[in-house]
Amino acid sequence: MKDNHASPEKADNSILHIWGRSTLQGHVKISGAKNAALVVMAGALLCPEDCRIRNVPLLADVARMGQILSALGVKIERNGDILDVNATEIGQSQAPYELVSQLRASFFAIGPILARLGAAQIPLPGGCAIGARPVELHVRGLRAMGADVQIEHGIVHAYVTGPNRRLKGAKIYLDYPSVGATETLMMAATLADGETTIDNAAQEPEVVDLANFCRSMGAKIQGAGTKTIVISGVPKLHSTDYSIIPDRIEAGTFLVAGAITRSEISLSPVISDDLTAVMAKLRAIGAKIIADAPYQLRIIPGESNIATDIETLPYPGFPTDMQAQFMALLTISEGDSVISETVFENRLRHVAELNRMGADIRVKGNHAIVRGVPMLSGAPVVATDLRASAALVLAGLAAEGKTTIQGLQHLDRGYERLDVKLQQLGAKLQRIQGEPEDVEANVEVDNESAASKSTESALK
Ligand code: EPZ
């Protein structure tokens, strides 16, 4: 049977069959970070010259971001994991709603466009499977920098008034350390007139990567990775050749794959400092994690997996993007675990599908009480969002019998050929072209993924 693996630029209705209980072994290569690539691509809008971005993962979301930038007049060319971007000529033309509404990261482009052109019109990113995803922190910060921002008919209209239509430095306090708001405002501030301080800023590694990307173009940014970021505006940025960080969430997902199948595997490249909370929890569950080479980690499973409580928090707390994957692991750990999702209001939708596989999970508000069971059993399941789909794959690897997963467009948004990488580690799985009605009928498609059906590659 031909491997119908969907390339990220094209969505298809493939289905993933997993035959569980195989032990994994070997080494897996970690791709570039999705959440760094997306925001660095937006950051390239700040530069009126050529930018080369390396280690860009081949993902549906990256393809979609490329489409959005092309629609704004940016020239983009993809060669393997290298993106060559030129944003010399960007227009105020509005990014197409049907794309922006399905890729939250595209909204972050409002900062660079406003900083470059003094005007921007970006559709409000819709809500998605995991929450309402408001943007008031972004808007409030831009207003503090002198932008007039109005939201009409689902479009954010932002204009910079004043003599040279240039944003001005401001002191901004974020009520919540929002990753996107920190990134939007940091990008806007690089070209503003004067100094901007962002207090209670997000500290995620992807924020630091964006800051380093902007600094490589000549931006003056201090404090990225701490709660207070200070940006001194400069008149213009220059071209750069920049390589983004490896994906800490993909790395964490593979570490959990080792733990849930009780396998010893290694992975690289990885920045272990970015995974402190994840490694601490895996060690609490009973695994050994060793750094057996530079930028490489190895997981050695414990005698058994011990129940452990998890609470998601802004970085450096436990990452919400790893919550679903750990829930899959904890379903077959010994004892009761309480998982509290404090970052998003609706990110426990994988509970129902895991329970269909024999898990014993009860939800109370934003807490999931996971009672460990000896074994999961394979079943047909449907993915609801990106990280939930990864959790179902992990559960399928550990389950007795066969698991069939639909809704793989979610997986392709954030994981580069996850099935192929797992096959190379010895997992028994196969991705088969499904019939369109097979998937459409059953999959509740959330905004963030619908475009995967219409995603054409802009990054040829
Ligand atoms: C980024 O989303 C990531 N996406 C998410 O990854 C990640 O889960 C999230 O940060 C938290 O780490 C990208 O980087 C493209 P937030 P973002 O603003 O920026 C609320 C994945 O799976 N909020 O830190 O949208 C918001 O509703 C994705 O890879 C406001 O209330 O996250 C949420 O509850 C999923 N008002 C919380 O803050 C605002 O103005 C965290 O959101 C902005 C956010």
Side-chain angles (χ1 to χ4, degrees):
M1 174 73 73
K2 192 162 77 67
D3 169 5
N4 291 285
H5 191 277
S7 77
E9 284 79 4
K10 283 194 297 302
D12 72 1
N13 294 314
S14 53
I15 292 177
L16 190 59
H17 296 296
I18 305 176
W19 291 270
R21 318 271 307 136
S22 304
T23 305
L24 309 182
Q25 60 178 18
H27 181 88
V28 62
K29 180 184 176 306
I30 301 300
S31 303
K34 166 178 87 81
N35 290 346
L38 293 174
V39 74
V40 162
M41 288 169 77
L45 286 163
L46 290 165
C47 180
E49 300 173 7
D50 288 333
C51 282
R52 172 159 285 189
I53 308 168
R54 298 174 186 272
N55 199 28
V56 178
L58 198 61
L59 300 172
D61 274 7
V62 168
R64 197 176 294 124
M65 185 61 132
Q67 276 185 298
I68 290 162
L69 295 184
S70 300
L72 292 169
V74 176
K75 294 187 182 58
I76 299 190
E77 199 178 316
R78 170 156 214 156
N79 297 299
D81 72 351
I82 294 175
L83 279 193
D84 285 320
V85 182
N86 182 296
T88 308
E89 308 289 330
I90 53 171
Q92 288 178 33
S93 58
Q94 184 182 307
Y97 169 70
E98 70 280 359
L99 285 170
V100 172
S101 65
Q102 291 131 26
L103 177 62
R104 179 164 177 85
S106 52
F107 182 75
F108 305 167
I110 192 170
I113 297 170
L114 201 51
R116 274 285 297 282
L117 304 180
Q121 299 176 63
I122 302 267
L124 268 182
C128 66
I130 61 177
R133 314 295 290 273
V135 292
E136 87 285 350
L137 296 176
H138 304 240
V139 171
R140 223 182 283 158
L142 292 173
R143 284 179 175 148
M145 296 173 76
D148 174 45
V149 185
Q150 305 297 330
I151 300 176
E152 286 149 17
H153 311 301
I155 306 290
V156 179
H157 300 269
Y159 300 93
V160 184
T161 49
N164 53 4
R165 299 195 64 184
R166 201 173 163 202
L167 289 168
K168 56 184 192 310
K171 279 190 78 57
I172 298 165
Y173 172 79
L174 294 178
D175 292 350
Y176 185 90
S178 155
V179 171
T182 302
E183 293 169 340
T184 297
L185 300 172
M186 184 167 74
M187 289 190 284
T190 58
L191 296 175
D193 195 5
E195 182 174 274
T196 298
T197 303
I198 305 173
D199 275 319
N200 199 28
Q203 304 175 64
E204 272 72 0
E206 292 75 26
V207 173
V208 177
D209 209 27
L210 173 66
N212 291 335
F213 169 71
C214 293
R215 286 152 57 120
S216 76
M217 295 191 289
K220 292 188 172 24
I221 303 173
Q222 299 296 328
T226 74
K227 285 201 146 321
T228 302
I229 304 177
V230 180
I231 306 104
S232 304
V234 296
K236 190 168 173 286
L237 296 180
H238 56 70
S239 63
T240 185
D241 183 334
Y242 187 81
S243 186
I244 62 168
I245 54 173
D247 196 312
R248 63 190 167 104
I249 303 302
E250 185 192 18
T253 304
F254 275 102
L255 288 173
V256 174
I260 203 169
T261 58
R262 316 188 61 62
S263 310
E264 178 176 336
I265 59 172
S266 63
L267 45 101
S268 70
V270 59
I271 301 169
S272 49
D273 288 352
D274 293 350
L275 283 163
T276 306
V278 168
M279 292 195 291
K281 285 298 172 182
L282 284 168
R283 290 180 176 125
I285 291 171
K288 269 203 206 66
I289 316 268
I290 49 178
D292 59 354
Y295 298 105
Q296 176 163 305
L297 289 177
R298 176 178 298 278
I299 179 166
I300 301 164
E303 285 309 305
S304 62
N305 289 327
I306 305 152
T308 304
D309 292 349
I310 301 268
E311 181 183 40
T312 65
L313 289 167
Y315 195 90
F318 186 90
T320 174
D321 293 349
M322 285 299 303
Q323 178 258 107
Q325 299 92 311
F326 268 75
M327 187 182 290
L329 173 58
L330 292 168
T331 62
I332 52 173
S333 298
E334 288 170 11
D336 291 359
S337 306
V338 178
I339 297 177
S340 305
E341 173 54 61
T342 74
V343 175
F344 287 105
E345 70 268 27
N346 188 28
R347 205 173 196 178
L348 296 172
R349 297 179 62 197
H350 37 284
V351 167
E353 295 305 282
L354 290 171
N355 282 342
R356 283 169 45 73
M357 297 178 70
D360 179 355
I361 311 168
R362 284 171 297 127
V363 174
K364 293 227 177 313
N366 70 329
H367 306 281
I369 297 105
V370 183
R371 172 148 300 171
V373 296
M375 180 86 68
L376 294 177
S377 58
V381 290
V382 172
T384 51
D385 59 78
L386 167 54
R387 304 305 172 181
S389 54
L392 295 176
V393 172
L394 296 170
L397 292 175
E400 183 71 51
K402 181 180 171 186
T403 298
T404 301
I405 303 178
Q406 298 190 54
L408 297 185
Q409 70 276 13
H410 300 293
L411 202 61
D412 294 340
R413 287 189 48 219
Y415 289 94
E416 186 175 319
R417 305 180 75 81
L418 180 65
D419 51 320
V420 174
K421 292 188 179 183
L422 285 169
Q423 268 171 336
Q424 288 165 352
L425 290 174
K428 302 268 180 296
L429 48 79
Q430 198 170 21
R431 187 168 175 147
I432 311 283
Q433 177 71 30
E435 290 310 312
E437 58 276 51
D438 285 352
V439 180
E440 301 278 337
N442 305 324
V443 175
E444 185 192 335
V445 173
D446 71 54
N447 310 1
E448 291 220 354
S449 59
S452 60
K453 296 196 184 335
S454 62
T455 299
E456 299 302 321
S457 161
L459 303 179
K460 294 233 183 298

